[in-house]
Amino acid sequence: MAKADETGSYKGSGKLRPEEMIYQEMLDAILDRRLEPGMKLIEEDLAQTFGVSRARIRATFLQLAHDKLINLVPNRGAFVSEPTIDEAIEVFAARRMIEDGVARKVAVSMTDERAAQIRNHLDREHDAHHRGDHRAAIILSGEFHLLLARLTGNLVIEEFLERLILRSSLIIAMYESPQPVDCSHTEHDDLLKALTSGDPDVAAAEMSRHLDAIRDRLQLQRPKPGKTDFASIFGRNPKSVAS
Amino acid sequence: MAKADETGSYKGSGKLRPEEMIYQEMLDAILDRRLEPGMKLIEEDLAQTFGVSRARIRATFLQLAHDKLINLVPNRGAFVSEPTIDEAIEVFAARRMIEDGVARKVAVSMTDERAAQIRNHLDREHDAHHRGDHRAAIILSGEFHLLLARLTGNLVIEEFLERLILRSSLIIAMYESPQPVDCSHTEHDDLLKALTSGDPDVAAAEMSRHLDAIRDRLQLQRPKPGKTDFASIFGRNPKSVAS
DNA sequence: GACAACAGGATTGTTAACAATTTTGCATGC
DNA sequence: GCATGCAAAATTGTTAACAATCCTGTTGTC
């Protein structure tokens, strides 16, 4: 998710790693839906676009596939992931399991300084929201959760949650309501209140509520866009492949 | 960890994927400490050993590095991971955060059939232990935790925990006491008891206790083996690099 | 004798060409 | 008209060679 300040200087010199750059660019394109779910990613074309060799594109594909953002099919190629409804539900259930723990840990280790840090982030979220910058709002919303993970001081959790949040972003981009509801920013306020209450159970409960709310705002009942479901369009059951 | 039955047939034919095989073999070698922590992994040698091209070895390296089992240094090569003490502590803290949730979820969805499934696994653990098969005992011990993750029905959690358990195995292999204490098998019995109690808090508490116990059995105070710490050997403080 | 510069070898990074596979378009036959 | 088979094009998978980088041992100098 396009972190602005994490330039990640390489070996102290000003040299930028091209691999990271390509991963980031493809990531942004997927989350922006400039690359639509299901779209075929052709190695040669991407290699020319980025001015690198196919080998590097292949390596990048492995990373993206590991994060479940693309799908690698042997001898067929790479496709932008099309998370199913079941997958979407599972991802948010997994986040709830982990972020409950995060909320608990942050709640019991809360200090004035940390609360200020969170509040500072919330200000930026509100700002983006009032500016009407929907894209920035989504990114900042994800980074809010990442900030909490960072406050646990556990790098393992932080890294895993980062991937899970990216995956969530793809899911949200795919299934979000046509008219953006965006009530999320007040929920983060509630979350901060619960986190500063000092009661881990309260914090965990609020986190669960919030994640469920995000999930429930998605349109997880309609057929996936991009994959036309002719059977449902014409009111018939799909033909079964065997027997 | 050398799963016996998951043959993973490819496209229905009997053809085995060589990539998976190489990953598995290297994984086993690392966990067996036939490849010691810190050891340099030379692409050319491995390619000849497995009879494949360097490109495939490089791809395998990316996977292993993603799972933190090896360390990839630009222009220097690949090295078997040497998890630090801090890292070890973080991994077990992360597992506690996640597996607390797993235990809670399994406890509230416990059935007779599931209990029998767990008990069946415990029998195999005890069997390996009585046979004195230390290696099998370690593998089965890891798979016990994976079984619980699977019972949550959440593939996301299952996959992440699988990687975390592998990483734990490397940590255990690196830091375990010279004389294997192996009291773990009775702890799993206690865990089953807590899981069948129906109380999620009891289950989570027992899981926390168990993971802390594993961590505490490790020798996390001594300097890492394989990296001779001359300073402590000769009773001096290591020279600081700057100022 | 210690230290720096240097050359040779080893190893990784990159590119391009070739082989294998899949997809696509077209022709053929029913 | 529709399915089948075939051939060409497109794409992925693999290999080998070359370039860049790093490590090691040696030599020369102070």
mmCIF file of all heavy atoms in Angstrom, chain A residues 18-19 51-56 74-76, chain C residues 13-23:
data_model
loop_
_atom_site.group_PDB
_atom_site.id
_atom_site.type_symbol
_atom_site.label_atom_id
_atom_site.label_comp_id
_atom_site.label_asym_id
_atom_site.label_seq_id
_atom_site.Cartn_x
_atom_site.Cartn_y
_atom_site.Cartn_z
ATOM 1 N N PRO A 18 15.527 -2.068 -7.851
ATOM 2 C CA PRO A 18 14.468 -2.140 -8.862
ATOM 3 C C PRO A 18 13.424 -3.205 -8.539
ATOM 4 O O PRO A 18 12.260 -3.055 -8.876
ATOM 5 C CB PRO A 18 15.238 -2.488 -10.141
ATOM 6 C CG PRO A 18 16.521 -3.088 -9.685
ATOM 7 C CD PRO A 18 16.832 -2.493 -8.352
ATOM 8 N N GLU A 19 13.846 -4.284 -7.882
ATOM 9 C CA GLU A 19 12.904 -5.355 -7.579
ATOM 10 C C GLU A 19 11.758 -4.846 -6.712
ATOM 11 O O GLU A 19 10.587 -5.082 -7.003
ATOM 12 C CB GLU A 19 13.606 -6.498 -6.849
ATOM 13 C CG GLU A 19 15.093 -6.260 -6.590
ATOM 14 C CD GLU A 19 15.702 -7.362 -5.776
ATOM 15 O OE1 GLU A 19 15.033 -7.794 -4.818
ATOM 16 O OE2 GLU A 19 16.823 -7.776 -6.076
ATOM 17 N N GLY A 51 11.228 -2.415 -18.336
ATOM 18 C CA GLY A 51 12.594 -2.357 -18.813
ATOM 19 C C GLY A 51 13.532 -3.308 -18.097
ATOM 20 O O GLY A 51 14.695 -2.997 -17.869
ATOM 21 N N VAL A 52 13.025 -4.474 -17.713
ATOM 22 C CA VAL A 52 13.876 -5.472 -17.064
ATOM 23 C C VAL A 52 13.727 -6.804 -17.794
ATOM 24 O O VAL A 52 12.963 -6.910 -18.756
ATOM 25 C CB VAL A 52 13.487 -5.652 -15.585
ATOM 26 C CG1 VAL A 52 13.681 -4.360 -14.823
ATOM 27 C CG2 VAL A 52 12.058 -6.135 -15.472
ATOM 28 N N SER A 53 14.458 -7.788 -17.331
ATOM 29 C CA SER A 53 14.387 -9.094 -17.976
ATOM 30 C C SER A 53 13.209 -9.898 -17.445
ATOM 31 O O SER A 53 12.657 -9.604 -16.385
ATOM 32 C CB SER A 53 15.671 -9.873 -17.724
ATOM 33 O OG SER A 53 15.752 -10.208 -16.363
ATOM 34 N N ARG A 54 12.826 -10.906 -18.189
ATOM 35 C CA ARG A 54 11.714 -11.755 -17.765
ATOM 36 C C ARG A 54 12.015 -12.439 -16.438
ATOM 37 O O ARG A 54 11.111 -12.656 -15.629
ATOM 38 C CB ARG A 54 11.452 -12.822 -18.825
ATOM 39 C CG ARG A 54 10.366 -12.458 -19.798
ATOM 40 C CD ARG A 54 10.194 -13.566 -20.807
ATOM 41 N NE ARG A 54 9.862 -14.832 -20.196
ATOM 42 C CZ ARG A 54 10.226 -16.021 -20.669
ATOM 43 N NH1 ARG A 54 10.942 -16.083 -21.763
ATOM 44 N NH2 ARG A 54 9.874 -17.106 -20.047
ATOM 45 N N ALA A 55 13.280 -12.757 -16.229
ATOM 46 C CA ALA A 55 13.656 -13.449 -14.989
ATOM 47 C C ALA A 55 13.230 -12.637 -13.766
ATOM 48 O O ALA A 55 12.733 -13.192 -12.778
ATOM 49 C CB ALA A 55 15.154 -13.695 -14.967
ATOM 50 N N ARG A 56 13.419 -11.343 -13.853
ATOM 51 C CA ARG A 56 13.069 -10.517 -12.701
ATOM 52 C C ARG A 56 11.559 -10.483 -12.502
ATOM 53 O O ARG A 56 11.059 -10.500 -11.375
ATOM 54 C CB ARG A 56 13.608 -9.101 -12.894
ATOM 55 C CG ARG A 56 13.538 -8.279 -11.643
ATOM 56 C CD ARG A 56 14.242 -6.964 -11.837
ATOM 57 N NE ARG A 56 15.677 -7.101 -11.860
ATOM 58 C CZ ARG A 56 16.421 -7.133 -10.769
ATOM 59 N NH1 ARG A 56 15.841 -7.076 -9.589
ATOM 60 N NH2 ARG A 56 17.715 -7.242 -10.857
ATOM 61 N N PRO A 74 0.888 -23.428 -13.329
ATOM 62 C CA PRO A 74 1.984 -23.993 -14.115
ATOM 63 C C PRO A 74 1.645 -24.068 -15.600
ATOM 64 O O PRO A 74 0.553 -24.502 -15.960
ATOM 65 C CB PRO A 74 2.155 -25.402 -13.524
ATOM 66 C CG PRO A 74 1.596 -25.321 -12.154
ATOM 67 C CD PRO A 74 0.493 -24.310 -12.223
ATOM 68 N N ASN A 75 2.580 -23.596 -16.403
ATOM 69 C CA ASN A 75 2.447 -23.633 -17.867
ATOM 70 C C ASN A 75 1.352 -22.731 -18.424
ATOM 71 O O ASN A 75 1.156 -22.665 -19.631
ATOM 72 C CB ASN A 75 2.191 -25.065 -18.380
ATOM 73 C CG ASN A 75 3.459 -25.879 -18.368
ATOM 74 O OD1 ASN A 75 4.527 -25.344 -18.644
ATOM 75 N ND2 ASN A 75 3.355 -27.137 -18.035
ATOM 76 N N ARG A 76 0.631 -22.072 -17.523
ATOM 77 C CA ARG A 76 -0.450 -21.209 -17.987
ATOM 78 C C ARG A 76 -0.133 -19.731 -17.740
ATOM 79 O O ARG A 76 -0.504 -18.877 -18.525
ATOM 80 C CB ARG A 76 -1.762 -21.572 -17.284
ATOM 81 C CG ARG A 76 -2.253 -22.993 -17.565
ATOM 82 C CD ARG A 76 -3.169 -23.038 -18.767
ATOM 83 N NE ARG A 76 -3.966 -21.837 -18.893
ATOM 84 C CZ ARG A 76 -5.121 -21.599 -18.270
ATOM 85 N NH1 ARG A 76 -5.627 -22.513 -17.469
ATOM 86 N NH2 ARG A 76 -5.774 -20.474 -18.465
ATOM 87 P P DG C 13 22.637 -12.757 -6.296
ATOM 88 O OP1 DG C 13 22.203 -11.705 -5.350
ATOM 89 O OP2 DG C 13 21.836 -13.973 -6.458
ATOM 90 O "O5'" DG C 13 22.809 -12.075 -7.724
ATOM 91 C "C5'" DG C 13 23.456 -10.810 -7.798
ATOM 92 C "C4'" DG C 13 23.373 -10.260 -9.216
ATOM 93 O "O4'" DG C 13 24.149 -11.113 -10.100
ATOM 94 C "C3'" DG C 13 21.963 -10.198 -9.808
ATOM 95 O "O3'" DG C 13 21.814 -8.956 -10.491
ATOM 96 C "C2'" DG C 13 21.922 -11.385 -10.764
ATOM 97 C "C1'" DG C 13 23.372 -11.465 -11.230
ATOM 98 N N9 DG C 13 23.813 -12.793 -11.635
ATOM 99 C C8 DG C 13 23.725 -13.966 -10.924
ATOM 100 N N7 DG C 13 24.237 -15.000 -11.559
ATOM 101 C C5 DG C 13 24.686 -14.467 -12.760
ATOM 102 C C6 DG C 13 25.328 -15.117 -13.859
ATOM 103 O O6 DG C 13 25.636 -16.293 -13.977
ATOM 104 N N1 DG C 13 25.623 -14.207 -14.879
ATOM 105 C C2 DG C 13 25.322 -12.866 -14.845
ATOM 106 N N2 DG C 13 25.671 -12.161 -15.916
ATOM 107 N N3 DG C 13 24.723 -12.256 -13.830
ATOM 108 C C4 DG C 13 24.442 -13.117 -12.827
ATOM 109 P P DT C 14 20.396 -8.609 -11.198
ATOM 110 O OP1 DT C 14 20.208 -7.147 -11.119
ATOM 111 O OP2 DT C 14 19.364 -9.526 -10.645
ATOM 112 O "O5'" DT C 14 20.656 -8.994 -12.713
ATOM 113 C "C5'" DT C 14 21.834 -8.491 -13.347
ATOM 114 C "C4'" DT C 14 21.861 -8.898 -14.805
ATOM 115 O "O4'" DT C 14 22.368 -10.246 -14.926
ATOM 116 C "C3'" DT C 14 20.508 -8.879 -15.518
ATOM 117 O "O3'" DT C 14 20.610 -7.970 -16.600
ATOM 118 C "C2'" DT C 14 20.284 -10.328 -15.968
ATOM 119 C "C1'" DT C 14 21.684 -10.908 -15.949
ATOM 120 N N1 DT C 14 21.776 -12.363 -15.635
ATOM 121 C C2 DT C 14 22.439 -13.199 -16.516
ATOM 122 O O2 DT C 14 22.942 -12.823 -17.536
ATOM 123 N N3 DT C 14 22.476 -14.525 -16.126
ATOM 124 C C4 DT C 14 21.946 -15.059 -14.973
ATOM 125 O O4 DT C 14 22.037 -16.263 -14.717
ATOM 126 C C5 DT C 14 21.264 -14.129 -14.103
ATOM 127 C C7 DT C 14 20.656 -14.616 -12.836
ATOM 128 C C6 DT C 14 21.215 -12.832 -14.473
ATOM 129 P P DT C 15 19.304 -7.632 -17.464
ATOM 130 O OP1 DT C 15 19.333 -6.189 -17.714
ATOM 131 O OP2 DT C 15 18.112 -8.261 -16.863
ATOM 132 O "O5'" DT C 15 19.633 -8.386 -18.820
ATOM 133 C "C5'" DT C 15 20.978 -8.390 -19.301
ATOM 134 C "C4'" DT C 15 21.138 -9.444 -20.368
ATOM 135 O "O4'" DT C 15 21.296 -10.738 -19.759
ATOM 136 C "C3'" DT C 15 19.949 -9.569 -21.325
ATOM 137 O "O3'" DT C 15 20.376 -9.225 -22.636
ATOM 138 C "C2'" DT C 15 19.498 -11.023 -21.212
ATOM 139 C "C1'" DT C 15 20.700 -11.704 -20.581
ATOM 140 N N1 DT C 15 20.348 -12.858 -19.710
ATOM 141 C C2 DT C 15 20.907 -14.085 -19.968
ATOM 142 O O2 DT C 15 21.686 -14.303 -20.862
ATOM 143 N N3 DT C 15 20.514 -15.077 -19.097
ATOM 144 C C4 DT C 15 19.632 -14.954 -18.032
ATOM 145 O O4 DT C 15 19.349 -15.909 -17.329
ATOM 146 C C5 DT C 15 19.076 -13.636 -17.837
ATOM 147 C C7 DT C 15 18.115 -13.399 -16.728
ATOM 148 C C6 DT C 15 19.451 -12.666 -18.674
ATOM 149 P P DA C 16 19.323 -9.012 -23.822
ATOM 150 O OP1 DA C 16 19.797 -7.895 -24.654
ATOM 151 O OP2 DA C 16 17.957 -8.993 -23.263
ATOM 152 O "O5'" DA C 16 19.513 -10.370 -24.644
ATOM 153 C "C5'" DA C 16 20.826 -10.835 -24.896
ATOM 154 C "C4'" DA C 16 20.781 -12.270 -25.380
ATOM 155 O "O4'" DA C 16 20.512 -13.149 -24.250
ATOM 156 C "C3'" DA C 16 19.693 -12.562 -26.414
ATOM 157 O "O3'" DA C 16 20.239 -13.350 -27.451
ATOM 158 C "C2'" DA C 16 18.637 -13.326 -25.611
ATOM 159 C "C1'" DA C 16 19.514 -14.074 -24.620
ATOM 160 N N9 DA C 16 18.822 -14.512 -23.411
ATOM 161 C C8 DA C 16 17.965 -13.785 -22.633
ATOM 162 N N7 DA C 16 17.497 -14.443 -21.593
ATOM 163 C C5 DA C 16 18.097 -15.687 -21.707
ATOM 164 C C6 DA C 16 18.010 -16.853 -20.911
ATOM 165 N N6 DA C 16 17.263 -16.942 -19.811
ATOM 166 N N1 DA C 16 18.732 -17.925 -21.293
ATOM 167 C C2 DA C 16 19.483 -17.833 -22.401
ATOM 168 N N3 DA C 16 19.639 -16.798 -23.227
ATOM 169 C C4 DA C 16 18.909 -15.744 -22.816
ATOM 170 P P DA C 17 19.537 -13.442 -28.891
ATOM 171 O OP1 DA C 17 20.460 -12.884 -29.895
ATOM 172 O OP2 DA C 17 18.174 -12.894 -28.756
ATOM 173 O "O5'" DA C 17 19.433 -15.016 -29.125
ATOM 174 C "C5'" DA C 17 20.586 -15.807 -28.902
ATOM 175 C "C4'" DA C 17 20.174 -17.184 -28.419
ATOM 176 O "O4'" DA C 17 19.510 -17.074 -27.126
ATOM 177 C "C3'" DA C 17 19.180 -17.914 -29.343
ATOM 178 O "O3'" DA C 17 19.726 -19.167 -29.711
ATOM 179 C "C2'" DA C 17 17.915 -18.072 -28.490
ATOM 180 C "C1'" DA C 17 18.488 -18.049 -27.076
ATOM 181 N N9 DA C 17 17.534 -17.671 -26.037
ATOM 182 C C8 DA C 17 16.837 -16.497 -25.932
ATOM 183 N N7 DA C 17 16.046 -16.436 -24.877
ATOM 184 C C5 DA C 17 16.235 -17.654 -24.253
ATOM 185 C C6 DA C 17 15.688 -18.214 -23.084
ATOM 186 N N6 DA C 17 14.805 -17.579 -22.312
ATOM 187 N N1 DA C 17 16.099 -19.456 -22.745
ATOM 188 C C2 DA C 17 16.986 -20.092 -23.525
ATOM 189 N N3 DA C 17 17.577 -19.668 -24.639
ATOM 190 C C4 DA C 17 17.156 -18.430 -24.960
ATOM 191 P P DC C 18 19.030 -19.995 -30.910
ATOM 192 O OP1 DC C 18 20.107 -20.575 -31.733
ATOM 193 O OP2 DC C 18 17.987 -19.156 -31.520
ATOM 194 O "O5'" DC C 18 18.316 -21.199 -30.131
ATOM 195 C "C5'" DC C 18 19.115 -22.056 -29.301
ATOM 196 C "C4'" DC C 18 18.205 -22.854 -28.397
ATOM 197 O "O4'" DC C 18 17.502 -21.972 -27.491
ATOM 198 C "C3'" DC C 18 17.122 -23.670 -29.131
ATOM 199 O "O3'" DC C 18 17.211 -25.030 -28.715
ATOM 200 C "C2'" DC C 18 15.809 -23.015 -28.687
ATOM 201 C "C1'" DC C 18 16.197 -22.481 -27.303
ATOM 202 N N1 DC C 18 15.326 -21.385 -26.810
ATOM 203 C C2 DC C 18 14.653 -21.550 -25.579
ATOM 204 O O2 DC C 18 14.794 -22.596 -24.952
ATOM 205 N N3 DC C 18 13.855 -20.554 -25.124
ATOM 206 C C4 DC C 18 13.722 -19.431 -25.833
ATOM 207 N N4 DC C 18 12.934 -18.472 -25.338
ATOM 208 C C5 DC C 18 14.400 -19.239 -27.072
ATOM 209 C C6 DC C 18 15.184 -20.232 -27.517
ATOM 210 P P DA C 19 16.304 -26.148 -29.517
ATOM 211 O OP1 DA C 19 17.203 -27.279 -29.864
ATOM 212 O OP2 DA C 19 15.515 -25.472 -30.572
ATOM 213 O "O5'" DA C 19 15.300 -26.659 -28.392
ATOM 214 C "C5'" DA C 19 15.816 -27.037 -27.111
ATOM 215 C "C4'" DA C 19 14.673 -27.329 -26.158
ATOM 216 O "O4'" DA C 19 14.047 -26.087 -25.734
ATOM 217 C "C3'" DA C 19 13.551 -28.188 -26.740
ATOM 218 O "O3'" DA C 19 13.158 -29.149 -25.759
ATOM 219 C "C2'" DA C 19 12.443 -27.196 -27.050
ATOM 220 C "C1'" DA C 19 12.647 -26.143 -25.972
ATOM 221 N N9 DA C 19 12.231 -24.794 -26.348
ATOM 222 C C8 DA C 19 12.599 -24.087 -27.450
ATOM 223 N N7 DA C 19 12.074 -22.888 -27.516
ATOM 224 C C5 DA C 19 11.308 -22.794 -26.367
ATOM 225 C C6 DA C 19 10.497 -21.771 -25.846
ATOM 226 N N6 DA C 19 10.326 -20.592 -26.453
ATOM 227 N N1 DA C 19 9.870 -22.008 -24.682
ATOM 228 C C2 DA C 19 10.039 -23.196 -24.078
ATOM 229 N N3 DA C 19 10.779 -24.229 -24.470
ATOM 230 C C4 DA C 19 11.392 -23.962 -25.630
ATOM 231 P P DA C 20 12.022 -30.251 -26.087
ATOM 232 O OP1 DA C 20 12.424 -31.525 -25.446
ATOM 233 O OP2 DA C 20 11.714 -30.192 -27.535
ATOM 234 O "O5'" DA C 20 10.776 -29.682 -25.279
ATOM 235 C "C5'" DA C 20 10.911 -29.428 -23.880
ATOM 236 C "C4'" DA C 20 9.596 -28.889 -23.328
ATOM 237 O "O4'" DA C 20 9.402 -27.534 -23.798
ATOM 238 C "C3'" DA C 20 8.363 -29.673 -23.765
ATOM 239 O "O3'" DA C 20 7.530 -29.874 -22.632
ATOM 240 C "C2'" DA C 20 7.701 -28.779 -24.808
ATOM 241 C "C1'" DA C 20 8.101 -27.385 -24.332
ATOM 242 N N9 DA C 20 8.192 -26.385 -25.392
ATOM 243 C C8 DA C 20 8.834 -26.508 -26.593
ATOM 244 N N7 DA C 20 8.762 -25.426 -27.342
ATOM 245 C C5 DA C 20 8.024 -24.545 -26.574
ATOM 246 C C6 DA C 20 7.600 -23.227 -26.798
ATOM 247 N N6 DA C 20 7.860 -22.546 -27.917
ATOM 248 N N1 DA C 20 6.878 -22.619 -25.833
ATOM 249 C C2 DA C 20 6.614 -23.301 -24.699
ATOM 250 N N3 DA C 20 6.961 -24.549 -24.371
ATOM 251 C C4 DA C 20 7.669 -25.107 -25.364
ATOM 252 P P DT C 21 6.174 -30.736 -22.745
ATOM 253 O OP1 DT C 21 6.093 -31.583 -21.539
ATOM 254 O OP2 DT C 21 6.105 -31.336 -24.103
ATOM 255 O "O5'" DT C 21 5.029 -29.643 -22.649
ATOM 256 C "C5'" DT C 21 5.103 -28.654 -21.624
ATOM 257 C "C4'" DT C 21 4.120 -27.553 -21.931
ATOM 258 O "O4'" DT C 21 4.610 -26.779 -23.043
ATOM 259 C "C3'" DT C 21 2.736 -28.048 -22.348
ATOM 260 O "O3'" DT C 21 1.822 -27.758 -21.298
ATOM 261 C "C2'" DT C 21 2.414 -27.275 -23.629
ATOM 262 C "C1'" DT C 21 3.497 -26.218 -23.683
ATOM 263 N N1 DT C 21 3.945 -25.840 -25.065
ATOM 264 C C2 DT C 21 3.721 -24.562 -25.513
ATOM 265 O O2 DT C 21 3.178 -23.701 -24.839
ATOM 266 N N3 DT C 21 4.175 -24.306 -26.791
ATOM 267 C C4 DT C 21 4.804 -25.202 -27.635
ATOM 268 O O4 DT C 21 5.161 -24.863 -28.762
ATOM 269 C C5 DT C 21 4.995 -26.519 -27.112
ATOM 270 C C7 DT C 21 5.669 -27.557 -27.949
ATOM 271 C C6 DT C 21 4.572 -26.777 -25.857
ATOM 272 P P DT C 22 0.255 -28.177 -21.416
ATOM 273 O OP1 DT C 22 -0.234 -28.451 -20.051
ATOM 274 O OP2 DT C 22 0.117 -29.195 -22.469
ATOM 275 O "O5'" DT C 22 -0.406 -26.813 -21.930
ATOM 276 C "C5'" DT C 22 -0.075 -25.596 -21.259
ATOM 277 C "C4'" DT C 22 -0.540 -24.412 -22.081
ATOM 278 O "O4'" DT C 22 0.203 -24.332 -23.323
ATOM 279 C "C3'" DT C 22 -2.024 -24.465 -22.474
ATOM 280 O "O3'" DT C 22 -2.639 -23.265 -22.070
ATOM 281 C "C2'" DT C 22 -2.006 -24.613 -23.987
ATOM 282 C "C1'" DT C 22 -0.683 -23.952 -24.353
ATOM 283 N N1 DT C 22 -0.091 -24.395 -25.642
ATOM 284 C C2 DT C 22 0.123 -23.460 -26.629
ATOM 285 O O2 DT C 22 -0.143 -22.288 -26.510
ATOM 286 N N3 DT C 22 0.687 -23.969 -27.779
ATOM 287 C C4 DT C 22 1.041 -25.281 -28.034
ATOM 288 O O4 DT C 22 1.533 -25.615 -29.108
ATOM 289 C C5 DT C 22 0.786 -26.202 -26.961
ATOM 290 C C7 DT C 22 1.130 -27.647 -27.131
ATOM 291 C C6 DT C 22 0.235 -25.721 -25.826
ATOM 292 P P DT C 23 -4.244 -23.111 -22.073
ATOM 293 O OP1 DT C 23 -4.642 -22.396 -20.855
ATOM 294 O OP2 DT C 23 -4.837 -24.430 -22.393
ATOM 295 O "O5'" DT C 23 -4.496 -22.140 -23.314
ATOM 296 C "C5'" DT C 23 -3.823 -20.887 -23.351
ATOM 297 C "C4'" DT C 23 -3.870 -20.311 -24.746
ATOM 298 O "O4'" DT C 23 -3.134 -21.168 -25.652
ATOM 299 C "C3'" DT C 23 -5.278 -20.175 -25.341
ATOM 300 O "O3'" DT C 23 -5.518 -18.813 -25.639
ATOM 301 C "C2'" DT C 23 -5.255 -21.052 -26.598
ATOM 302 C "C1'" DT C 23 -3.767 -21.135 -26.907
ATOM 303 N N1 DT C 23 -3.338 -22.341 -27.661
ATOM 304 C C2 DT C 23 -2.771 -22.192 -28.918
ATOM 305 O O2 DT C 23 -2.617 -21.121 -29.458
ATOM 306 N N3 DT C 23 -2.382 -23.372 -29.523
ATOM 307 C C4 DT C 23 -2.503 -24.657 -29.011
ATOM 308 O O4 DT C 23 -2.131 -25.636 -29.645
ATOM 309 C C5 DT C 23 -3.098 -24.742 -27.701
ATOM 310 C C7 DT C 23 -3.270 -26.078 -27.067
ATOM 311 C C6 DT C 23 -3.476 -23.597 -27.089
#
